[in-house]
Amino acid sequence: MNLLKAFLLKALSALLFALLSACVRYLGEQSVPLGQMVFFRAAFAIVPVLLIDAWRRELADVIRTERPLGHLLRGAISMAGMFLNFAALARLPLVDATAISFAALLITVAFAAWFLGERVRIYRWSAVAVGFAGIIVMLWPYLNLAQYAAGGSATVAATVGVVCGLTAALTNAGSVIQTRRLTDTETTSSIVFYFSLFCAIAGLATLPFGWIWPSGIELAVLVAAGLIGGLAHIVLTSSYRYAPASLVAPLDYTTMIWAFVFGYMLFGEVPTIYVFVGGAIVAASGIFVIWRERQLGLRRIREAEGPANIS
């Protein structure tokens, strides 16, 4: 247990994920094809994984697996999620897309009850309901039907982005559920490696549909997106080595702060009041779910230990 190191690593992972989103947002503005972005993001994410495992002399753990079909299923779900998430980032303000992505935590609660048989009590269901109310608040400007009557490509693009963002949250929640299943037998390195491999293959398959020859800056950002994404996953995993997930998970929401900073500084994006209010509601409900999980975990530990022996 090293709380300071855990918090610092978790905060660093939030910054890295926000940087990744900013890279994708920039590439979307440059009209870089979606499949090309996915390929570079996934292919170059493998590099930090291989380097760190080589340094640890644990390269064999990267490819060792007892459940190749499980990796294939997670890869397919995550691949869909990456395409959808990148499509949302290319069409929405950075902070909007980031805020919508946090719906995945709330959806995971429902999926855990349905697919893993986890017992979810009224407190967590209530938090999920409140969280989705926050999502409605965030999306309120996009629910104004009058704007669609006026038409316009920007309105259509934003609508597509919202749909992609919400669908990506669904697939990301599904990926979390499948990852939980894999962790029983698989190493973190193998999970990240096969996920990246399948996504890279899917991205490469879009080559015949019209990749572009990137400029020097675009190529640098494409490579950076992959390296940052791979490093972010490693740092995130490392943070859980030093403290329970329930303690450090709330720091995920600091990604919203970085998304606001990068969105404003790099793209001149100013979030609406709906995003601030809705994002705060979603963050509060998510933190409550995490807090509740920790309380239940502590209760199970006390029940397992039984009454203290009195000598």
Side-chain angles (χ1 to χ4, degrees):
M1 179 78 74
N2 188 328
L3 289 180
L4 178 59
K5 184 175 289 188
F7 288 157
L8 290 175
L9 288 170
K10 184 67 172 180
L12 177 59
S13 74
L15 170 60
L16 291 172
F17 279 119
L19 276 172
L20 169 60
S21 296
C23 288
V24 174
R25 181 80 177 87
Y26 169 80
L27 294 169
E29 285 199 340
Q30 307 309 309
S31 299
V32 176
L34 196 59
Q36 190 171 0
M37 285 192 277
V38 169
F39 171 76
F40 276 87
R41 156 67 180 89
F44 281 90
I46 297 175
V47 175
V49 175
L50 294 178
L51 289 176
I52 290 178
D53 279 285
W55 177 66
R56 293 175 176 171
R57 298 184 179 179
E58 297 174 353
L59 270 178
D61 291 339
V62 175
I63 59 173
R64 182 185 296 120
T65 178
E66 298 178 18
R67 300 165 66 182
L69 292 180
H71 285 291
L72 181 60
L73 176 59
R74 183 185 186 269
I77 297 172
S78 300
M79 173 194 66
M82 188 179 292
F83 271 93
L84 289 164
N85 187 46
F86 284 12
L89 284 166
R91 292 166 173 81
L92 292 174
L94 191 59
V95 72
D96 290 47
T98 302
I100 292 172
S101 71
F102 285 122
L105 172 61
L106 306 174
I107 298 171
T108 300
V109 174
F111 280 8
W114 295 336
F115 299 121
L116 298 181
E118 293 185 5
R119 188 175 182 182
V120 179
R121 298 179 183 273
I122 187 64
Y123 294 102
R124 279 185 287 168
W125 282 124
S126 299
V128 169
V130 171
F132 279 111
I135 292 171
I136 296 298
V137 172
M138 283 190 293
L139 298 182
W140 193 254
Y142 301 103
L143 301 177
N144 180 8
L145 298 180
Q147 65 183 337
Y148 299 103
S153 58
T155 299
V156 174
T159 302
V160 172
V162 168
V163 173
C164 289
L166 290 174
T167 311
L170 281 169
T171 58
N172 291 340
S175 178
V176 170
I177 297 300
Q178 182 60 15
T179 301
R180 287 186 186 178
R181 290 172 170 169
L182 286 173
T183 51
D184 292 339
T185 59
E186 307 300 292
T187 64
T188 299
S189 296
S190 69
I191 291 173
V192 174
F193 172 75
Y194 285 110
F195 148 71
S196 300
L197 179 63
F198 289 134
C199 289
I201 292 172
L204 186 61
T206 67
L207 178 60
F209 298 99
W211 282 20
I212 66 168
W213 188 265
S215 66
I217 294 178
E218 290 167 351
L219 180 60
V221 176
L222 282 166
V223 173
L227 295 175
I228 291 170
L231 186 60
H233 279 287
I234 293 170
V235 173
L236 174 67
T237 303
S238 298
S239 70
Y240 294 132
R241 296 179 184 273
Y242 299 103
S246 58
L247 282 181
V248 297
L251 288 171
D252 276 333
Y253 291 100
T254 60
T255 305
M256 283 279 291
I257 300 173
W258 291 115
F260 168 74
V261 172
F262 294 145
Y264 179 75
M265 293 181 62
L266 301 178
F267 310 107
E269 299 169 351
V270 180
T272 65
I273 187 63
Y274 297 100
V275 173
F276 285 118
V277 174
I281 294 172
V282 172
S285 61
I287 291 172
F288 177 80
V289 168
I290 296 165
W291 174 82
R292 182 65 180 168
E293 285 290 325
R294 175 161 176 75
Q295 294 302 110
L296 292 174
L298 292 174
R299 182 186 302 175
R300 285 191 290 268
I301 291 173
R302 288 194 295 267
E303 290 175 351
E305 291 176 346
N309 294 325
I310 302 176
S311 57

